[in-house]
Amino acid sequence: LDYLDASGASEDALTLAAALSRFWYQAGHVSEGRRRLEHLLGTDERPTAARAKALNGAAGMASAGGDGATARVRAEEALAIHLQVGDDWGAAYARYLLGMAAVVEKGDFAKGQEVCEEAVRAFRELGDEHFALVATRSLAWMCGELGDHARFRALYEDVLRRARELGNERMEARGLCAVARFEAEAGRLHDAVGMLERAYRIDRDL
């Protein structure tokens, strides 16, 4: 990244930084990710596909860092460019990020729910079940915060079922943790503990 930046290859640098954004997020390197992405976005403001992808990464980093206002601005610009260049997946992800930004910036769970609904539908239409599950999990959380506990539970159970069908262990672990809570609240502690042990083993191995 330093080499590309120093040599003026801004579009290549944005492409690489965008590709690294999920690593930075998963590995907990949010500060580094934000610093790198924000710097590179300032070096090339052309509305390219590379910039749009980097904007998505920056929006995710900003939300993870608690900066909802920056996340919203970055995701809005990303969505506009993705629509302009015809990148349907990028647009779906930008919508998901806008939903998260609404919650982080203003605690607006209703807006977040509305936008996440759109993102789930878009990912499913595109055949991306992993990100459909990611967005559904966030949607479930938003429903819970809005007091819709029946849908909160139904969505998490759906995440767990679909994740198991797909062999998606990362999302299976997230679903297990949520459903274990429901089992514990119903007094089925043995079942809850078994689910949490399974989730722990998945996360440890991953």
Side-chain angles (χ1 to χ4, degrees):
L1 279 174
D2 289 339
Y3 171 80
L4 291 171
D5 185 27
S7 63
S10 57
E11 191 163 353
D12 289 337
L14 284 168
T15 299
L16 180 57
L20 283 168
S21 63
R22 285 179 66 187
F23 161 73
W24 284 323
Y25 177 80
Q26 293 287 354
H29 303 311
V30 175
S31 295
E32 177 186 1
R34 288 198 72 183
R35 175 175 57 81
R36 292 280 195 175
L37 285 158
E38 290 296 336
H39 166 71
L40 291 170
L41 286 168
T43 66
D44 187 344
E45 297 186 357
R46 293 173 298 163
T48 60
R51 178 174 178 82
K53 291 174 182 177
L55 285 163
N56 275 349
M61 293 295 110
S63 279
D67 185 354
T70 297
R72 174 179 49 78
V73 170
R74 293 309 193 194
E76 286 173 344
E77 184 184 352
L79 178 58
I81 298 175
H82 284 305
L83 291 174
Q84 179 182 332
V85 301
D87 182 351
D88 293 335
W89 190 95
Y93 192 54
R95 286 191 174 92
Y96 166 69
L97 292 167
L98 279 170
M100 297 302 295
V103 172
V104 175
E105 182 181 13
K106 297 180 178 178
D108 190 345
F109 286 94
K111 179 64 175 179
Q113 179 187 26
E114 176 189 340
V115 181
C116 272
E117 297 267 19
E118 295 174 5
V120 171
R121 284 195 297 272
F123 283 128
R124 289 249 152 84
E125 288 170 2
L126 292 166
D128 191 327
E129 281 297 324
H130 172 72
F131 274 95
L133 290 176
V134 170
T136 300
R137 179 182 170 226
S138 296
L139 177 60
W141 166 59
M142 293 170 187
C143 288
E145 292 294 325
L146 290 167
D148 189 349
H149 299 295
R151 189 156 187 240
F152 172 65
R153 176 169 186 151
L155 286 170
Y156 259 120
E157 289 175 341
D158 186 54
V159 166
L160 179 57
R161 178 182 61 79
R162 288 176 183 269
R164 283 173 165 167
E165 289 174 354
L166 294 165
N168 187 328
E169 289 191 319
R170 186 179 299 279
M171 294 308 298
E172 179 187 355
R174 304 285 66 77
L176 283 166
C177 288
V179 176
R181 171 182 166 185
F182 306 141
E183 294 298 298
E185 289 172 348
R188 294 186 287 271
L189 299 180
H190 179 76
D191 292 340
V193 169
M195 290 179 175
L196 292 171
E197 287 176 341
R198 166 68 178 156
Y200 165 75
R201 288 193 296 271
I202 291 173
D203 283 335
R204 178 196 61 198
D205 293 344
L206 288 174

